[in-house]
């Protein structure tokens, strides 16, 4: 019989202009949080999931394994929390957000629960979860600081200190779980990056009846215990992270309107609009759409510490800006689906773009990319960044491993091709 070979797809992008209107994919940041909150809510939560990406599918599977009753009907899902006993193993696929939140949710139970996933997930750090939950009185054991991690509670609340130097995803897990604990809690965070996504979690918890107060410094979060979440119906907004690639594609080679993007979003990656303006692109924003048109591009400097997912599309943008662009605060990208710093440098060098790391920053000197063969490194955002950079290349660019975009944006290549013009 022998082992089955993993499917590897190849997308070839030819130099082309883009012009069209595309509906943004649904926000996986919102959907994953909504699904995990539904698993912590007695009663029925209804969520529109559209064409779910792999990470959303992983969150649904994890919610079921954590004891929720999950019923999928077309593009909608019904979730009833605490309907069943939790499984001893919760499998989160490739989703680090799902795994980190599920680890904290698992600590609410008195039985050991192991949080695991595929090989890529098991290379993602979990030491900060082990440290925090252990100090909070839970029995926790990771695999040398990585997933899989086994958690046995119950978490009761109180004062908790979190290391958020690499990620704030476990902070979101605590913000979801602590309201259900018997005690009030105070979470001390040092330092905090990706703060907008913690605020997104705070907002979604508040919509379900949780009470979270955060100081202006975002270093101390106070959570009222003894809460029971009430169900809400969820109609997720569009995903700014995925849309950023389309908006940068327009700035590079044409014009695109992306619909379904809320201007009042808590998603941090809406910052892409401001960067595109600084870089010289023509940008128009409506209540639920953003239009970007190509203009003369200029180099830019951007602090990406709170917006790590914007680095790949901005590298593609910078590759066509005449002069030297600098992306500051990119060190955490070494711990994503791939080592994104290394991946971006090595793959864009294959296209003839002058890019290097300097003092913890990425420096990109704009030029004209050449055609050739590049690799996604199994990372959805690397694949999408290479695809949009290829629009301005001298020749065709072949991207191997392009199937990985299903992690966040399954229809990306179809949406991009629908806009291509000669």
């Amino acid at each position: 019989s022998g082992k089955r070979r993993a499917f590897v797809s190849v997308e070839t992008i030819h130099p082309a202009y883009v012009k069209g209107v595309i509906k943004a994919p649904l926000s996986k940041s919102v959907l994953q949080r909504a699904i995990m909150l539904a698993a912590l809510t007695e009663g029925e939560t209804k969520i529109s999931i559209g064409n779910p990406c792999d990470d959303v599918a992983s969150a649904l599977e994890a919610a079921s394994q954590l004891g929720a009753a999950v019923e999928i009907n077309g593009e909608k899902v019904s979730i009833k929390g605490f309907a069943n006993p939790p499984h001893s193993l919760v499998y989160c696929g490739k989703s680090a957000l799902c795994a980190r939140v599920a680890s904290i949710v698992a600590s609410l139970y008195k039985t050991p629960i192991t949080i695991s996933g595929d090989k890529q997930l098991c290379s993602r750090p979990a030491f900060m979860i082990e440290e925090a939950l252990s100090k909070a009185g839970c029995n926790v054991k990771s695999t040398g600081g990585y997933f899989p991690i086994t958690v046995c509670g119950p978490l009761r609340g109180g004062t908790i200190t979190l290391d958020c130097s690499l990620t704030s995803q476990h902070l979101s897990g605590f913000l979801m779980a602590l309201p259900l604990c018997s005690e009030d809690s105070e979470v001390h965070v040092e330092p905090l990056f990706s703060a907008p996504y913690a605020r997104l979690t705070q907002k979604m918890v508040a919509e379900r009846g949780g009470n979270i107060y955060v100081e202006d410094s975002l270093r101390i979060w106070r959570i009222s215990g003894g809460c029971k979440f009430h169900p809400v119906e969820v109609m997720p907004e569009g995903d700014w992270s995925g849309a950023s690639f389309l908006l940068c594609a327009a700035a590079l080679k044409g014009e695109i309107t992306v619909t379904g993007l809320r201007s009042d979003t808590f998603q941090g990656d809406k910052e892409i609009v401001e960067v595109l303006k600084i870089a010289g692109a023509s940008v128009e924003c409506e209540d639920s759409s953003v239009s970007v048109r190509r203009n003369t591009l200029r180099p830019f400097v951007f602090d990406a510490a709170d917006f790590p997912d914007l680095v790949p599309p901005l590298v593609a943008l910078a590759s066509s800006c005449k002069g030297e662009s600098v992306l500051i605060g990119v060190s955490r990208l070494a711990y994503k689906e791939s080592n994104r710093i290394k991946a971006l440098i090595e793959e864009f060098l294959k296209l003839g773009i002058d890019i290097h790391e300097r003092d913890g920053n990425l420096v990109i000197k704009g030029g004209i990319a050449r055609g050739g063969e590049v690799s996604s490194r199994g990372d959805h955002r690397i694949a999408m960044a290479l695809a949009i950079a290829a629009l301005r290349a001298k020749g065709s660019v072949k991207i191997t491993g392009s199937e990985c975009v299903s992690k966040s944006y399954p229809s990306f290549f179809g949406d991009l091709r629908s806009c291509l013009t000669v």
Side-chain angles (χ1 to χ4, degrees), residues 103-110 132-140 151-160 173-183 185 187:
S103 299
I104 313 303
V105 171
S107 73
L108 294 171
Y109 294 93
K110 298 178 182 179
L133 285 176
S134 295
K135 289 181 178 178
C138 298
N139 188 357
V140 191
V151 178
C152 184
L155 180 68
R156 302 187 188 280
T159 301
I160 296 172
F174 277 104
L175 296 181
M176 294 182 198
L178 288 172
L180 305 186
C181 293
S182 55
E183 301 178 22
S185 299
V187 178

PDB file of all heavy atoms in Angstrom, residues 103-110 132-140 151-160 173-183 185 187:
ATOM      1  N   SER A 103      -6.758  25.654  24.300  1.00  0.00           N
ATOM      2  CA  SER A 103      -5.973  25.268  25.478  1.00  0.00           C
ATOM      3  C   SER A 103      -6.508  25.937  26.740  1.00  0.00           C
ATOM      4  O   SER A 103      -6.572  25.321  27.812  1.00  0.00           O
ATOM      5  CB  SER A 103      -4.501  25.644  25.282  1.00  0.00           C
ATOM      6  OG  SER A 103      -3.948  24.970  24.173  1.00  0.00           O
ATOM      7  N   ILE A 104      -6.890  27.215  26.611  1.00  0.00           N
ATOM      8  CA  ILE A 104      -7.423  27.935  27.776  1.00  0.00           C
ATOM      9  C   ILE A 104      -8.837  27.446  28.088  1.00  0.00           C
ATOM     10  O   ILE A 104      -9.196  27.252  29.250  1.00  0.00           O
ATOM     11  CB  ILE A 104      -7.413  29.455  27.545  1.00  0.00           C
ATOM     12  CG1 ILE A 104      -6.066  29.928  26.974  1.00  0.00           C
ATOM     13  CG2 ILE A 104      -7.747  30.187  28.834  1.00  0.00           C
ATOM     14  CD1 ILE A 104      -4.867  29.574  27.806  1.00  0.00           C
ATOM     15  N   VAL A 105      -9.645  27.239  27.046  1.00  0.00           N
ATOM     16  CA  VAL A 105     -11.002  26.720  27.256  1.00  0.00           C
ATOM     17  C   VAL A 105     -10.945  25.358  27.950  1.00  0.00           C
ATOM     18  O   VAL A 105     -11.726  25.062  28.857  1.00  0.00           O
ATOM     19  CB  VAL A 105     -11.758  26.624  25.910  1.00  0.00           C
ATOM     20  CG1 VAL A 105     -13.087  25.889  26.089  1.00  0.00           C
ATOM     21  CG2 VAL A 105     -11.997  28.019  25.334  1.00  0.00           C
ATOM     22  N   ALA A 106      -9.991  24.516  27.543  1.00  0.00           N
ATOM     23  CA  ALA A 106      -9.855  23.181  28.131  1.00  0.00           C
ATOM     24  C   ALA A 106      -9.572  23.243  29.627  1.00  0.00           C
ATOM     25  O   ALA A 106      -9.929  22.329  30.381  1.00  0.00           O
ATOM     26  CB  ALA A 106      -8.746  22.409  27.418  1.00  0.00           C
ATOM     27  N   SER A 107      -8.950  24.354  30.063  1.00  0.00           N
ATOM     28  CA  SER A 107      -8.598  24.480  31.481  1.00  0.00           C
ATOM     29  C   SER A 107      -9.821  24.684  32.370  1.00  0.00           C
ATOM     30  O   SER A 107      -9.719  24.635  33.596  1.00  0.00           O
ATOM     31  CB  SER A 107      -7.610  25.639  31.689  1.00  0.00           C
ATOM     32  OG  SER A 107      -8.255  26.895  31.560  1.00  0.00           O
ATOM     33  N   LEU A 108     -10.988  24.913  31.780  1.00  0.00           N
ATOM     34  CA  LEU A 108     -12.210  25.044  32.560  1.00  0.00           C
ATOM     35  C   LEU A 108     -12.701  23.683  33.067  1.00  0.00           C
ATOM     36  O   LEU A 108     -13.544  23.618  33.968  1.00  0.00           O
ATOM     37  CB  LEU A 108     -13.310  25.707  31.725  1.00  0.00           C
ATOM     38  CG  LEU A 108     -13.068  27.169  31.317  1.00  0.00           C
ATOM     39  CD1 LEU A 108     -14.126  27.615  30.309  1.00  0.00           C
ATOM     40  CD2 LEU A 108     -13.059  28.085  32.532  1.00  0.00           C
ATOM     41  N   TYR A 109     -12.187  22.596  32.469  1.00  0.00           N
ATOM     42  CA  TYR A 109     -12.643  21.257  32.810  1.00  0.00           C
ATOM     43  C   TYR A 109     -11.702  20.593  33.815  1.00  0.00           C
ATOM     44  O   TYR A 109     -10.506  20.888  33.873  1.00  0.00           O
ATOM     45  CB  TYR A 109     -12.751  20.393  31.550  1.00  0.00           C
ATOM     46  CG  TYR A 109     -13.826  20.855  30.592  1.00  0.00           C
ATOM     47  CD1 TYR A 109     -13.538  21.733  29.551  1.00  0.00           C
ATOM     48  CD2 TYR A 109     -15.141  20.417  30.745  1.00  0.00           C
ATOM     49  CE1 TYR A 109     -14.539  22.157  28.678  1.00  0.00           C
ATOM     50  CE2 TYR A 109     -16.145  20.830  29.886  1.00  0.00           C
ATOM     51  CZ  TYR A 109     -15.829  21.702  28.849  1.00  0.00           C
ATOM     52  OH  TYR A 109     -16.818  22.119  28.001  1.00  0.00           O
ATOM     53  N   LYS A 110     -12.259  19.624  34.586  1.00  0.00           N
ATOM     54  CA  LYS A 110     -11.483  18.928  35.609  1.00  0.00           C
ATOM     55  C   LYS A 110     -10.800  17.676  35.075  1.00  0.00           C
ATOM     56  O   LYS A 110     -10.114  16.984  35.819  1.00  0.00           O
ATOM     57  CB  LYS A 110     -12.404  18.542  36.774  1.00  0.00           C
ATOM     58  CG  LYS A 110     -13.046  19.730  37.481  1.00  0.00           C
ATOM     59  CD  LYS A 110     -13.975  19.255  38.588  1.00  0.00           C
ATOM     60  CE  LYS A 110     -14.664  20.432  39.270  1.00  0.00           C
ATOM     61  NZ  LYS A 110     -15.598  19.988  40.345  1.00  0.00           N
ATOM     62  N   ALA A 132       1.519  30.220  32.090  1.00  0.00           N
ATOM     63  CA  ALA A 132       0.407  30.980  32.674  1.00  0.00           C
ATOM     64  C   ALA A 132      -0.580  30.077  33.399  1.00  0.00           C
ATOM     65  O   ALA A 132      -1.010  30.370  34.519  1.00  0.00           O
ATOM     66  CB  ALA A 132      -0.299  31.790  31.588  1.00  0.00           C
ATOM     67  N   LEU A 133      -0.975  28.968  32.753  1.00  0.00           N
ATOM     68  CA  LEU A 133      -1.959  28.084  33.371  1.00  0.00           C
ATOM     69  C   LEU A 133      -1.385  27.372  34.595  1.00  0.00           C
ATOM     70  O   LEU A 133      -2.100  27.140  35.574  1.00  0.00           O
ATOM     71  CB  LEU A 133      -2.470  27.057  32.349  1.00  0.00           C
ATOM     72  CG  LEU A 133      -3.450  27.580  31.301  1.00  0.00           C
ATOM     73  CD1 LEU A 133      -3.796  26.493  30.296  1.00  0.00           C
ATOM     74  CD2 LEU A 133      -4.720  28.126  31.952  1.00  0.00           C
ATOM     75  N   SER A 134      -0.107  27.035  34.557  1.00  0.00           N
ATOM     76  CA  SER A 134       0.519  26.384  35.709  1.00  0.00           C
ATOM     77  C   SER A 134       0.488  27.307  36.923  1.00  0.00           C
ATOM     78  O   SER A 134       0.151  26.885  38.042  1.00  0.00           O
ATOM     79  CB  SER A 134       1.962  25.988  35.386  1.00  0.00           C
ATOM     80  OG  SER A 134       2.001  25.007  34.371  1.00  0.00           O
ATOM     81  N   LYS A 135       0.816  28.580  36.705  1.00  0.00           N
ATOM     82  CA  LYS A 135       0.793  29.548  37.805  1.00  0.00           C
ATOM     83  C   LYS A 135      -0.627  29.818  38.295  1.00  0.00           C
ATOM     84  O   LYS A 135      -0.823  30.254  39.429  1.00  0.00           O
ATOM     85  CB  LYS A 135       1.466  30.850  37.368  1.00  0.00           C
ATOM     86  CG  LYS A 135       2.979  30.723  37.200  1.00  0.00           C
ATOM     87  CD  LYS A 135       3.606  32.041  36.798  1.00  0.00           C
ATOM     88  CE  LYS A 135       5.119  31.910  36.686  1.00  0.00           C
ATOM     89  NZ  LYS A 135       5.766  33.177  36.240  1.00  0.00           N
ATOM     90  N   ALA A 136      -1.612  29.551  37.415  1.00  0.00           N
ATOM     91  CA  ALA A 136      -3.017  29.754  37.799  1.00  0.00           C
ATOM     92  C   ALA A 136      -3.590  28.524  38.499  1.00  0.00           C
ATOM     93  O   ALA A 136      -4.792  28.484  38.807  1.00  0.00           O
ATOM     94  CB  ALA A 136      -3.853  30.092  36.569  1.00  0.00           C
ATOM     95  N   GLY A 137      -2.747  27.500  38.767  1.00  0.00           N
ATOM     96  CA  GLY A 137      -3.192  26.345  39.538  1.00  0.00           C
ATOM     97  C   GLY A 137      -3.640  25.158  38.726  1.00  0.00           C
ATOM     98  O   GLY A 137      -4.128  24.164  39.293  1.00  0.00           O
ATOM     99  N   CYS A 138      -3.487  25.211  37.395  1.00  0.00           N
ATOM    100  CA  CYS A 138      -3.865  24.076  36.558  1.00  0.00           C
ATOM    101  C   CYS A 138      -2.673  23.129  36.381  1.00  0.00           C
ATOM    102  O   CYS A 138      -1.521  23.510  36.575  1.00  0.00           O
ATOM    103  CB  CYS A 138      -4.335  24.566  35.182  1.00  0.00           C
ATOM    104  SG  CYS A 138      -5.793  25.631  35.250  1.00  0.00           S
ATOM    105  N   ASN A 139      -2.978  21.906  36.004  1.00  0.00           N
ATOM    106  CA  ASN A 139      -1.941  20.916  35.707  1.00  0.00           C
ATOM    107  C   ASN A 139      -1.715  20.910  34.198  1.00  0.00           C
ATOM    108  O   ASN A 139      -2.602  20.527  33.441  1.00  0.00           O
ATOM    109  CB  ASN A 139      -2.402  19.536  36.198  1.00  0.00           C
ATOM    110  CG  ASN A 139      -1.301  18.503  36.101  1.00  0.00           C
ATOM    111  OD1 ASN A 139      -0.201  18.793  35.612  1.00  0.00           O
ATOM    112  ND2 ASN A 139      -1.591  17.295  36.545  1.00  0.00           N
ATOM    113  N   VAL A 140      -0.538  21.338  33.760  1.00  0.00           N
ATOM    114  CA  VAL A 140      -0.286  21.552  32.333  1.00  0.00           C
ATOM    115  C   VAL A 140       1.063  20.970  31.950  1.00  0.00           C
ATOM    116  O   VAL A 140       2.040  21.118  32.673  1.00  0.00           O
ATOM    117  CB  VAL A 140      -0.291  23.066  31.978  1.00  0.00           C
ATOM    118  CG1 VAL A 140      -0.300  23.256  30.464  1.00  0.00           C
ATOM    119  CG2 VAL A 140      -1.463  23.777  32.598  1.00  0.00           C
ATOM    120  N   VAL A 151      -3.861  19.791  29.255  1.00  0.00           N
ATOM    121  CA  VAL A 151      -4.351  20.747  30.248  1.00  0.00           C
ATOM    122  C   VAL A 151      -5.388  20.065  31.130  1.00  0.00           C
ATOM    123  O   VAL A 151      -6.273  19.359  30.644  1.00  0.00           O
ATOM    124  CB  VAL A 151      -4.992  21.971  29.553  1.00  0.00           C
ATOM    125  CG1 VAL A 151      -5.544  22.946  30.574  1.00  0.00           C
ATOM    126  CG2 VAL A 151      -3.993  22.654  28.637  1.00  0.00           C
ATOM    127  N   CYS A 152      -5.270  20.279  32.446  1.00  0.00           N
ATOM    128  CA  CYS A 152      -6.285  19.787  33.376  1.00  0.00           C
ATOM    129  C   CYS A 152      -6.583  20.882  34.396  1.00  0.00           C
ATOM    130  O   CYS A 152      -5.681  21.351  35.092  1.00  0.00           O
ATOM    131  CB  CYS A 152      -5.799  18.513  34.075  1.00  0.00           C
ATOM    132  SG  CYS A 152      -7.030  17.764  35.165  1.00  0.00           S
ATOM    133  N   GLY A 153      -7.828  21.307  34.473  1.00  0.00           N
ATOM    134  CA  GLY A 153      -8.229  22.378  35.365  1.00  0.00           C
ATOM    135  C   GLY A 153      -8.795  21.853  36.670  1.00  0.00           C
ATOM    136  O   GLY A 153      -8.433  20.771  37.118  1.00  0.00           O
ATOM    137  N   PRO A 154      -9.681  22.617  37.315  1.00  0.00           N
ATOM    138  CA  PRO A 154     -10.342  23.764  36.691  1.00  0.00           C
ATOM    139  C   PRO A 154      -9.640  25.095  36.933  1.00  0.00           C
ATOM    140  O   PRO A 154      -9.073  25.324  38.001  1.00  0.00           O
ATOM    141  CB  PRO A 154     -11.709  23.769  37.366  1.00  0.00           C
ATOM    142  CG  PRO A 154     -11.421  23.247  38.749  1.00  0.00           C
ATOM    143  CD  PRO A 154     -10.312  22.242  38.595  1.00  0.00           C
ATOM    144  N   LEU A 155      -9.705  25.957  35.934  1.00  0.00           N
ATOM    145  CA  LEU A 155      -9.270  27.341  36.079  1.00  0.00           C
ATOM    146  C   LEU A 155     -10.297  28.071  36.951  1.00  0.00           C
ATOM    147  O   LEU A 155     -11.493  27.977  36.700  1.00  0.00           O
ATOM    148  CB  LEU A 155      -9.182  27.983  34.693  1.00  0.00           C
ATOM    149  CG  LEU A 155      -8.746  29.440  34.605  1.00  0.00           C
ATOM    150  CD1 LEU A 155      -7.286  29.593  35.021  1.00  0.00           C
ATOM    151  CD2 LEU A 155      -8.927  29.955  33.171  1.00  0.00           C
ATOM    152  N   ARG A 156      -9.813  28.810  37.944  1.00  0.00           N
ATOM    153  CA  ARG A 156     -10.752  29.460  38.876  1.00  0.00           C
ATOM    154  C   ARG A 156     -10.751  30.989  38.762  1.00  0.00           C
ATOM    155  O   ARG A 156     -11.647  31.643  39.262  1.00  0.00           O
ATOM    156  CB  ARG A 156     -10.417  29.062  40.312  1.00  0.00           C
ATOM    157  CG  ARG A 156     -10.452  27.560  40.541  1.00  0.00           C
ATOM    158  CD  ARG A 156     -10.289  27.199  41.994  1.00  0.00           C
ATOM    159  NE  ARG A 156     -10.143  25.755  42.183  1.00  0.00           N
ATOM    160  CZ  ARG A 156     -11.146  24.897  42.179  1.00  0.00           C
ATOM    161  NH1 ARG A 156     -12.391  25.336  42.015  1.00  0.00           N
ATOM    162  NH2 ARG A 156     -10.935  23.605  42.366  1.00  0.00           N
ATOM    163  N   GLY A 157      -9.759  31.538  38.107  1.00  0.00           N
ATOM    164  CA  GLY A 157      -9.651  32.991  38.047  1.00  0.00           C
ATOM    165  C   GLY A 157      -8.576  33.485  38.978  1.00  0.00           C
ATOM    166  O   GLY A 157      -7.715  32.739  39.441  1.00  0.00           O
ATOM    167  N   GLY A 158      -8.599  34.788  39.255  1.00  0.00           N
ATOM    168  CA  GLY A 158      -7.585  35.393  40.108  1.00  0.00           C
ATOM    169  C   GLY A 158      -6.637  36.250  39.298  1.00  0.00           C
ATOM    170  O   GLY A 158      -6.986  36.741  38.217  1.00  0.00           O
ATOM    171  N   THR A 159      -5.419  36.433  39.803  1.00  0.00           N
ATOM    172  CA  THR A 159      -4.429  37.264  39.117  1.00  0.00           C
ATOM    173  C   THR A 159      -3.538  36.385  38.247  1.00  0.00           C
ATOM    174  O   THR A 159      -2.976  35.394  38.729  1.00  0.00           O
ATOM    175  CB  THR A 159      -3.565  38.036  40.131  1.00  0.00           C
ATOM    176  OG1 THR A 159      -4.427  38.864  40.922  1.00  0.00           O
ATOM    177  CG2 THR A 159      -2.550  38.914  39.408  1.00  0.00           C
ATOM    178  N   ILE A 160      -3.423  36.750  36.981  1.00  0.00           N
ATOM    179  CA  ILE A 160      -2.662  35.963  36.002  1.00  0.00           C
ATOM    180  C   ILE A 160      -1.731  36.898  35.245  1.00  0.00           C
ATOM    181  O   ILE A 160      -2.139  37.991  34.824  1.00  0.00           O
ATOM    182  CB  ILE A 160      -3.612  35.245  35.022  1.00  0.00           C
ATOM    183  CG1 ILE A 160      -4.481  34.231  35.777  1.00  0.00           C
ATOM    184  CG2 ILE A 160      -2.833  34.553  33.906  1.00  0.00           C
ATOM    185  CD1 ILE A 160      -5.579  33.618  34.941  1.00  0.00           C
ATOM    186  N   GLY A 173      -7.854  33.775  24.555  1.00  0.00           N
ATOM    187  CA  GLY A 173      -8.407  32.603  25.220  1.00  0.00           C
ATOM    188  C   GLY A 173      -8.790  32.889  26.657  1.00  0.00           C
ATOM    189  O   GLY A 173      -9.877  32.497  27.127  1.00  0.00           O
ATOM    190  N   PHE A 174      -7.925  33.580  27.386  1.00  0.00           N
ATOM    191  CA  PHE A 174      -8.239  33.929  28.777  1.00  0.00           C
ATOM    192  C   PHE A 174      -9.422  34.891  28.853  1.00  0.00           C
ATOM    193  O   PHE A 174     -10.263  34.787  29.757  1.00  0.00           O
ATOM    194  CB  PHE A 174      -7.011  34.539  29.456  1.00  0.00           C
ATOM    195  CG  PHE A 174      -6.034  33.519  29.975  1.00  0.00           C
ATOM    196  CD1 PHE A 174      -4.853  33.274  29.299  1.00  0.00           C
ATOM    197  CD2 PHE A 174      -6.308  32.797  31.119  1.00  0.00           C
ATOM    198  CE1 PHE A 174      -3.949  32.331  29.765  1.00  0.00           C
ATOM    199  CE2 PHE A 174      -5.410  31.843  31.605  1.00  0.00           C
ATOM    200  CZ  PHE A 174      -4.224  31.603  30.917  1.00  0.00           C
ATOM    201  N   LEU A 175      -9.508  35.835  27.926  1.00  0.00           N
ATOM    202  CA  LEU A 175     -10.627  36.780  27.936  1.00  0.00           C
ATOM    203  C   LEU A 175     -11.958  36.070  27.693  1.00  0.00           C
ATOM    204  O   LEU A 175     -13.009  36.527  28.147  1.00  0.00           O
ATOM    205  CB  LEU A 175     -10.415  37.870  26.884  1.00  0.00           C
ATOM    206  CG  LEU A 175      -9.211  38.800  27.098  1.00  0.00           C
ATOM    207  CD1 LEU A 175      -9.143  39.841  25.990  1.00  0.00           C
ATOM    208  CD2 LEU A 175      -9.279  39.480  28.464  1.00  0.00           C
ATOM    209  N   MET A 176     -11.930  34.940  26.984  1.00  0.00           N
ATOM    210  CA  MET A 176     -13.147  34.160  26.756  1.00  0.00           C
ATOM    211  C   MET A 176     -13.487  33.270  27.946  1.00  0.00           C
ATOM    212  O   MET A 176     -14.658  33.107  28.299  1.00  0.00           O
ATOM    213  CB  MET A 176     -12.972  33.276  25.513  1.00  0.00           C
ATOM    214  CG  MET A 176     -12.843  34.033  24.210  1.00  0.00           C
ATOM    215  SD  MET A 176     -12.691  32.853  22.832  1.00  0.00           S
ATOM    216  CE  MET A 176     -12.008  33.915  21.560  1.00  0.00           C
ATOM    217  N   ALA A 177     -12.472  32.676  28.568  1.00  0.00           N
ATOM    218  CA  ALA A 177     -12.716  31.681  29.611  1.00  0.00           C
ATOM    219  C   ALA A 177     -12.915  32.282  30.995  1.00  0.00           C
ATOM    220  O   ALA A 177     -13.742  31.795  31.781  1.00  0.00           O
ATOM    221  CB  ALA A 177     -11.553  30.690  29.645  1.00  0.00           C
ATOM    222  N   LEU A 178     -12.182  33.322  31.338  1.00  0.00           N
ATOM    223  CA  LEU A 178     -12.211  33.859  32.704  1.00  0.00           C
ATOM    224  C   LEU A 178     -13.577  34.387  33.142  1.00  0.00           C
ATOM    225  O   LEU A 178     -13.909  34.288  34.334  1.00  0.00           O
ATOM    226  CB  LEU A 178     -11.135  34.938  32.872  1.00  0.00           C
ATOM    227  CG  LEU A 178      -9.696  34.404  32.921  1.00  0.00           C
ATOM    228  CD1 LEU A 178      -8.692  35.561  32.895  1.00  0.00           C
ATOM    229  CD2 LEU A 178      -9.478  33.525  34.155  1.00  0.00           C
ATOM    230  N   PRO A 179     -14.403  34.958  32.244  1.00  0.00           N
ATOM    231  CA  PRO A 179     -15.730  35.386  32.708  1.00  0.00           C
ATOM    232  C   PRO A 179     -16.562  34.236  33.270  1.00  0.00           C
ATOM    233  O   PRO A 179     -17.471  34.471  34.083  1.00  0.00           O
ATOM    234  CB  PRO A 179     -16.377  35.962  31.441  1.00  0.00           C
ATOM    235  CG  PRO A 179     -15.226  36.413  30.607  1.00  0.00           C
ATOM    236  CD  PRO A 179     -14.160  35.389  30.845  1.00  0.00           C
ATOM    237  N   LEU A 180     -16.275  32.995  32.873  1.00  0.00           N
ATOM    238  CA  LEU A 180     -17.041  31.839  33.338  1.00  0.00           C
ATOM    239  C   LEU A 180     -16.507  31.279  34.645  1.00  0.00           C
ATOM    240  O   LEU A 180     -17.116  30.372  35.233  1.00  0.00           O
ATOM    241  CB  LEU A 180     -17.032  30.740  32.270  1.00  0.00           C
ATOM    242  CG  LEU A 180     -17.527  31.130  30.871  1.00  0.00           C
ATOM    243  CD1 LEU A 180     -17.600  29.905  29.983  1.00  0.00           C
ATOM    244  CD2 LEU A 180     -18.887  31.819  30.932  1.00  0.00           C
ATOM    245  N   CYS A 181     -15.368  31.786  35.106  1.00  0.00           N
ATOM    246  CA  CYS A 181     -14.779  31.312  36.366  1.00  0.00           C
ATOM    247  C   CYS A 181     -15.528  31.900  37.566  1.00  0.00           C
ATOM    248  O   CYS A 181     -16.196  32.928  37.457  1.00  0.00           O
ATOM    249  CB  CYS A 181     -13.306  31.690  36.428  1.00  0.00           C
ATOM    250  SG  CYS A 181     -12.297  30.820  35.200  1.00  0.00           S
ATOM    251  N   SER A 182     -15.372  31.243  38.706  1.00  0.00           N
ATOM    252  CA  SER A 182     -16.100  31.685  39.900  1.00  0.00           C
ATOM    253  C   SER A 182     -15.568  33.002  40.450  1.00  0.00           C
ATOM    254  O   SER A 182     -16.323  33.811  40.988  1.00  0.00           O
ATOM    255  CB  SER A 182     -16.018  30.601  40.979  1.00  0.00           C
ATOM    256  OG  SER A 182     -14.660  30.263  41.248  1.00  0.00           O
ATOM    257  N   GLU A 183     -14.270  33.244  40.294  1.00  0.00           N
ATOM    258  CA  GLU A 183     -13.655  34.456  40.842  1.00  0.00           C
ATOM    259  C   GLU A 183     -13.515  35.541  39.774  1.00  0.00           C
ATOM    260  O   GLU A 183     -13.446  35.257  38.582  1.00  0.00           O
ATOM    261  CB  GLU A 183     -12.249  34.132  41.383  1.00  0.00           C
ATOM    262  CG  GLU A 183     -12.201  33.095  42.472  1.00  0.00           C
ATOM    263  CD  GLU A 183     -10.768  32.808  42.899  1.00  0.00           C
ATOM    264  OE1 GLU A 183      -9.895  33.678  42.675  1.00  0.00           O
ATOM    265  OE2 GLU A 183     -10.527  31.708  43.444  1.00  0.00           O
ATOM    266  N   SER A 185     -11.099  38.259  37.928  1.00  0.00           N
ATOM    267  CA  SER A 185      -9.711  38.061  37.518  1.00  0.00           C
ATOM    268  C   SER A 185      -9.069  39.367  37.098  1.00  0.00           C
ATOM    269  O   SER A 185      -9.754  40.322  36.693  1.00  0.00           O
ATOM    270  CB  SER A 185      -9.631  37.066  36.349  1.00  0.00           C
ATOM    271  OG  SER A 185     -10.134  35.804  36.716  1.00  0.00           O
ATOM    272  N   VAL A 187      -5.713  40.259  34.656  1.00  0.00           N
ATOM    273  CA  VAL A 187      -4.664  39.725  33.782  1.00  0.00           C
ATOM    274  C   VAL A 187      -3.645  40.820  33.511  1.00  0.00           C
ATOM    275  O   VAL A 187      -3.995  41.896  33.011  1.00  0.00           O
ATOM    276  CB  VAL A 187      -5.259  39.202  32.453  1.00  0.00           C
ATOM    277  CG1 VAL A 187      -4.147  38.697  31.535  1.00  0.00           C
ATOM    278  CG2 VAL A 187      -6.261  38.086  32.724  1.00  0.00           C
TER     279      VAL A 187
END
